[in-house]
Amino acid sequence: MLALEMVRSVPKALLGRAVGGRVPALLSGVAAPLRLVTLDPPHVDRPGWARLKVRMSGICGSDLGMLAGSTSLYFSALVSLPFVPGHEIVAELVDDCEDLPAGTRVVVDPVLACAARGVDACQACAAGKTNRCSRITVGDISPGLQTGFCHDTGGGWGEVLVAHRSQLHPVPEGLSDEQALLVEPVACAVHTAARADIRPGDRVLVSGAGAVGLLATLALRELTDAGEIVVVAKHVHQQELAREFGASDVVAPAEVLRRVRRATGAFQLEPELSSPYLLGGVDVALDAVGSASSLETCLQATRAGGRVVLSGMPGKADLSAAWFRELELVGTYASSHGERAFPQAIGLVAHDAVARMSKTVAPYPLHRWREALDHAHSAGRLGTVKVAFDPRRTG
Ligand SMILES: [Zn+2]
């Protein structure tokens, strides 16, 4: 089968770290840690596992970070190389899988927790918090926090992968493949909204209006009693989209503090040789980018005792405000079985705004991976929300 394989070597990773992000061509240039190869289809000969034929698989910000070498080396112990990336997956079953017959169209919950690994449930899994599984490096399959980071399972950026029944959710007839493609990111947004722990009327700031920020805004609007939700968006089309997804107001990055100060009666301070910040501010801020500047914006605009939710893979930031303002820093990673995030997400992708977003999904054949990654890297600027691979395409 044809697949894109991640073969990151240390020198390439370091090269990517040095310049990744500033020179997007490196994502897809000669030093890219990705290659198009012909592989034997993956196979896991254990109960509950089945082969899946990929229909579509998205490119996520975390994939781009990994390819650019900007991902923390923290994660290097949580993957098994080489692997086929791709954890946002719509596929159809090649084999029967317990109660699901061959041919069933499914979306994949990528977390490779205890059930998939064939080990007794850890404390987190037993409580339904599968995204907190502590056994993601042991059991029947190689280390890998998710499908798309594990050597044995394959991933969505290949023609065939294997998945465990515990990961599979059938897709209702009425949903397009493009809508189904958004189920995994929406499930993450459902989890994010729960982690934000919103009280009725809370003022919320969402920093970032890419797929993560837009879908989090939707989940906050639909699933919580948030009051005003202000979204920070760089590009004009993102500003329009953010409103469709439930934003009360949208601001450019440079206007955030002024906007929050006006709404909340906060004081703005101007420290020496550093960025301004507020005393007072929103109740909850959500970093949906993962850059240092986005996280710092959240820290600077949140009231004392408020909550900052880390929804993007975080960069380094000045944490002075977290200490001085006693902020709660809350991580949000993937989603869990216990909260029924995938079934909820399958309901949410029928929402008008998501249905419209799904019509802008840009699918590429595997062999045009360099173009696809460049497109995904520039998606915000180009007005695309989700770029994906469709391994069935040849041109
Ligand atoms: Zn577990």
Side-chain angles (χ1 to χ4, degrees), residues 44-52 93 95-100 115-116 118 140 162-168:
V44 174
D45 188 18
R46 301 290 299 165
W49 285 86
R51 290 175 297 169
L52 280 74
L93 276 168
D95 312 304
D96 294 339
C97 187
E98 298 183 353
D99 56 318
L100 300 177
D140 292 341
V162 289
H164 186 263
R165 176 65 186 92
S166 61
Q167 299 181 274
L168 303 179

Side-chain angles (χ1 to χ4, degrees), residues 200-276:
D202 271 355
R203 285 180 193 276
V204 184
L205 179 73
V206 176
S207 176
V212 173
L214 292 171
L215 297 175
T217 301
L218 179 80
L220 287 164
R221 184 52 81 210
E222 297 291 318
L223 305 176
T224 76
D225 294 325
E228 187 178 66
I229 302 177
V230 175
V231 175
V232 186
K234 262 190 196 165
H235 307 287
V236 174
H237 62 89
Q238 288 180 333
Q239 295 171 2
E240 290 161 10
L241 279 171
R243 285 201 169 80
E244 288 182 29
F245 279 76
S248 319
D249 196 6
V250 187
V251 294
E255 298 164 15
V256 178
L257 291 192
R258 197 165 35 143
R259 172 66 177 74
V260 172
R261 178 170 57 86
R262 231 181 25 234
T264 61
F267 295 104
Q268 181 165 329
L269 301 189
E270 309 280 344
E272 285 179 43
L273 303 174
S274 183
S275 312

Side-chain angles (χ1 to χ4, degrees), residues 159-220:
E159 291 177 303
V160 176
L161 73 148
V162 289
H164 186 263
R165 176 65 186 92
S166 61
Q167 299 181 274
L168 303 179
H169 297 268
V171 178
E173 283 283 331
L175 296 184
S176 66
D177 282 343
E178 288 80 1
Q179 276 171 296
L181 179 72
L182 296 171
V183 169
E184 194 275 342
V186 171
C188 295
V190 167
H191 179 62
T192 295
R195 294 287 290 155
D197 196 15
I198 302 289
R199 295 168 318 168
D202 271 355
R203 285 180 193 276
V204 184
L205 179 73
V206 176
S207 176
V212 173
L214 292 171
L215 297 175
T217 301
L218 179 80
L220 287 164

